[in-house]
Amino acid sequence: MLIRTPRGWELPERLATPEDIFLNRRALLAGAGSIAAVGAMPELAFAADDPTADLYPAKRNPAFKLARQITPEKINSHYNNFYEFGSHKKISEKAQALEVRPWEVKIDGEVEKPFTIGIDDLIRKMALEERLYRHRCVEAWSMTIPWSGFPMQDLVALAKPLSSAKYVRMETFHNPKVATGQKAAWYPWPYVEGLTIAEATNELAFLVTGAYGKPMAKQFGAPLRLAVPWKYGFKHIKSIVRFSFTSERPKSFWEAVQAREYGFWANVNPAVDHPRWSQATERDLATGVRIPTKLYNGYGAQVAHMYKGMEGEKLFM
Ligand SMILES: Nc1nc2c(c(=O)[nH]1)N[C@H]1C(S)=C(S)[C@@H](COP(=O)(O)O)O[C@H]1N2
Ligand SMILES: [Mo]
């Protein structure tokens, strides 16, 4: 039985903490494109010895251009959800304790032949590209990020799932010595997320290895993290160590914690409120401006077809 404790990002008051206001005032002062005003924050770079550093910057895929302003790296890299390192946004320094090499990724479950692959071998098998994606957190803030990585459908192809496989279950590392947040026993560690095979092979489902033109910083979920931009941020599982193909729908981390508030589907919809706050608008962290939220976070043309005939499901929470 899970003990119900308050979690920072669930509290409506968190939508306007002094930290948020600070970040947004800085963003406004900085103005379009300039990050000069956030210069006081320490730079937290990727490991200089990253064995895949030569693959960046990856070529930008022009199909994923956006009109929105890119969130300055210094704002994004100091405002993160990564409960393994704490239940607040300032985990970036703690996350530097995570060792991202060696790193192995296990592929198992209903596949032709389960296997384990080193992250560098995996990355070098894939053709990396850069995509600009919007990111909409369930807490009603958003960012725009230049991710680098490869389509998840390429990983599914490598895994060779059996026809009985209907879902992909993904798992984050588990190491409470390094990730002290994992000592909090009321959470069902490790972090788990899931997608249907249709979702995982949708053109938008992206496995992220880099950001801002270089290997991804640890606080973003290095060395491998998911981006499914039509879904709320909590689906974007970080620091993945395992992909299991299953015939049964996996239970995701937040669903296990509080199913009434966080479901499996978690598709963005401004018309469906979170039980404790509105989802109609979001604060764009690049500008500090509150803007209307779009159905499927603006990606309906690419994804809405997958949910036809599923109206009985709780598709939007
Ligand atoms: N393993 C793990 N993955 C995670 C989380 C987490 O706490 N642990 N938080 C999620 C949430 S709620 C969001 S909004 C995004 C945040 O990603 P960012 O820090 O790169 O903005 O990561 C998601 N992935
Ligand atoms: Mo989130």
Side-chain angles (χ1 to χ4, degrees), residues 3 17 41 58 64 85 91 94 96 102 110 114 129 144 160 169 195 197 249 264 266 277 290 315:
I3 298 158
T17 61
M41 293 190 215
F64 302 96
F85 296 99
I91 55 79
K94 278 193 116 187
Q96 305 315 305
E110 299 179 22
E129 61 181 63
T144 304
K160 299 196 180 80
R169 177 189 184 276
L195 295 172
I197 299 281
R249 191 164 101 182
F264 173 79
W277 60 80
R290 191 162 278 281
L315 291 172

Side-chain angles (χ1 to χ4, degrees), residues 9 81 137-139 141 233-234:
W9 65 267
N81 271 337
C137 176
V138 74
E139 299 166 308
W141 52 263
F234 63 88

Side-chain angles (χ1 to χ4, degrees), residues 249-271:
R249 191 164 101 182
K251 183 168 274 184
S252 45
F253 179 86
W254 287 110
E255 192 184 2
V257 172
Q258 184 62 291
R260 211 176 54 81
E261 302 190 353
Y262 310 102
F264 173 79
W265 299 102
N267 295 313
V268 175
N269 188 338

Side-chain angles (χ1 to χ4, degrees), residues 12-317:
E13 308 90 80
R14 290 287 300 172
L15 298 179
T17 61
E19 176 197 345
D20 291 353
I21 291 159
F22 166 81
L23 280 169
N24 285 300
R25 207 185 49 225
R26 287 304 186 102
L28 283 174
L29 284 174
S34 163
I35 54 166
V38 287
M41 293 190 215
E43 189 73 80
L44 292 163
F46 61 95
D49 57 352
D50 187 295
T52 58
D54 61 294
L55 300 176
Y56 301 89
K59 193 163 181 284
R60 185 170 291 180
N61 183 335
F64 302 96
K65 274 207 202 96
L66 292 177
R68 254 181 229 182
Q69 190 184 318
I70 292 177
T71 307
E73 184 181 0
K74 282 194 181 174
I75 291 178
N76 192 349
S77 63
H78 292 83
Y79 190 90
N80 304 97
N81 271 337
F82 203 167
Y83 271 62
E84 285 80 347
F85 296 99
S87 55
H88 51 81
K89 298 291 181 289
K90 294 186 169 182
I91 55 79
S92 56
E93 282 185 55
K94 278 193 116 187
Q96 305 315 305
L98 180 64
E99 298 273 2
V100 296
R101 295 295 189 288
W103 190 277
E104 298 211 308
V105 178
K106 188 192 258 186
I107 312 262
D108 65 2
E110 299 179 22
V111 294
E112 273 183 21
K113 193 170 185 279
F115 62 94
T116 297
I117 184 168
I119 188 69
D120 298 312
D121 292 340
L122 176 65
I123 292 173
R124 286 190 189 279
K125 269 186 199 292
M126 301 295 170
L128 297 193
E129 61 181 63
E130 184 178 77
R131 298 182 176 190
L132 301 184
Y133 270 4
R134 290 187 287 268
H135 177 91
R136 173 50 162 89
C137 176
V138 74
E139 299 166 308
W141 52 263
S142 64
M143 301 201 205
T144 304
I145 311 134
W147 292 131
S148 310
F150 54 89
M152 187 166 181
Q153 58 191 7
D154 295 351
L155 180 119
V156 174
L158 188 73
K160 299 196 180 80
L162 304 176
S163 59
S164 56
K166 301 283 179 275
Y167 300 91
V168 191
R169 177 189 184 276
M170 290 153 280
E171 202 176 284
T172 296
F173 70 87
H174 189 225
N175 185 353
K177 272 195 204 126
V178 171
T180 52
Q182 291 180 330
K183 289 181 180 161
W186 54 90
Y187 289 119
W189 305 110
Y191 200 97
V192 167
E193 260 306 338
L195 295 172
T196 63
I197 299 281
E199 291 174 329
T201 54
N202 181 277
E203 60 175 326
L204 283 177
F206 199 54
L207 285 167
V208 176
T209 59
Y212 297 94
K214 43 196 187 192
M216 177 164 53
K218 294 177 180 180
Q219 61 269 36
F220 295 147
L224 189 66
R225 168 257 174 89
L226 178 69
V228 278
W230 70 99
K231 292 181 179 284
Y232 288 116
F234 63 88
K235 296 293 292 185
H236 299 220
I237 182 171
K238 295 180 169 183
S239 303
I240 303 167
V241 294
R242 186 175 175 192
F243 296 84
S244 304
F245 290 78
T246 65
S247 50
E248 268 174 45
R249 191 164 101 182
K251 183 168 274 184
S252 45
F253 179 86
W254 287 110
E255 192 184 2
V257 172
Q258 184 62 291
R260 211 176 54 81
E261 302 190 353
Y262 310 102
F264 173 79
W265 299 102
N267 295 313
V268 175
N269 188 338
V272 179
D273 289 342
H274 182 277
R276 289 180 286 125
W277 60 80
S278 165
Q279 295 292 22
T281 63
E282 65 203 54
R283 207 177 44 241
D284 178 350
L285 294 190
T287 59
V289 174
R290 191 162 278 281
I291 54 177
T293 288
K294 292 181 177 163
L295 180 62
Y296 293 113
N297 201 22
Y299 296 99
Q302 292 98 318
V303 301
H305 65 90
M306 293 191 288
Y307 307 106
K308 288 242 169 70
M310 292 177 63
E311 288 70 23
E313 293 281 333
K314 285 188 172 175
L315 291 172
F316 303 108
M317 62 157 277

